[in-house]
Amino acid sequence: QVQLVESGGGSVQAGGSLRLSCTASGYIDSSTCIAWFRQAPGKEREGVARILLAYDMTYYRDSLKGRFTISIDTAKNTAYLQMNSLQPEDTAMYYCAAYGSRFLCPRDLSPTGFTYWGQGTQVTVSS
């Protein structure tokens, strides 16, 4: 069973930055499609970004382009989400997820096919 563990969340003021990490011992490498999702209280879960390093594929939610960057460090089996210029509307629980098949990745930010999920890490941005 693959277990994903997120870390790096916290409380920051508007304009600040955070880097979220997602680890899964021995599972995350260049062939793994990793995505970040978030869910704010009272709102539906939404996709943030996803990456498949083997094909140099990244995809971002339109509204987050330029502020968020997804990456993978294969040596550390870790995926990251660098978040800059954070705003109060970015406040949410952030989850990482891994696709169930290697070398495959959805063309969009649909959660379908993402088999493994972490428990989430809370990000709170104050104005």
Side-chain angles (χ1 to χ4, degrees), residues 37-49:
F37 297 85
R38 67 183 184 183
Q39 187 167 19
K43 294 187 177 181
E44 294 187 354
R45 180 179 56 189
E46 62 182 21
V48 174

Side-chain angles (χ1 to χ4, degrees), residues 51-118:
I51 183 170
L52 179 55
L53 191 62
Y55 300 142
D56 197 22
M57 292 171 54
T58 57
Y59 187 87
Y60 294 91
R61 190 173 193 80
D62 284 345
S63 60
L64 301 177
K65 289 179 181 177
R67 293 199 297 125
F68 287 18
T69 303
I70 190 171
S71 63
I72 288 179
D73 185 335
T74 56
K76 296 182 178 180
N77 298 125
T78 300
Y80 300 98
L81 183 68
Q82 177 67 44
M83 307 185 294
N84 299 327
S85 301
L86 285 163
Q87 300 300 315
E89 53 265 34
D90 295 318
T91 295
M93 185 72 78
Y94 284 72
Y95 301 89
C96 69
Y99 205 68
S101 299
R102 294 192 180 276
F103 295 105
L104 291 176
C105 207
R107 293 181 178 274
D108 54 16
L109 292 171
S110 167
T112 303
F114 285 91
T115 304
Y116 308 107
W117 291 77

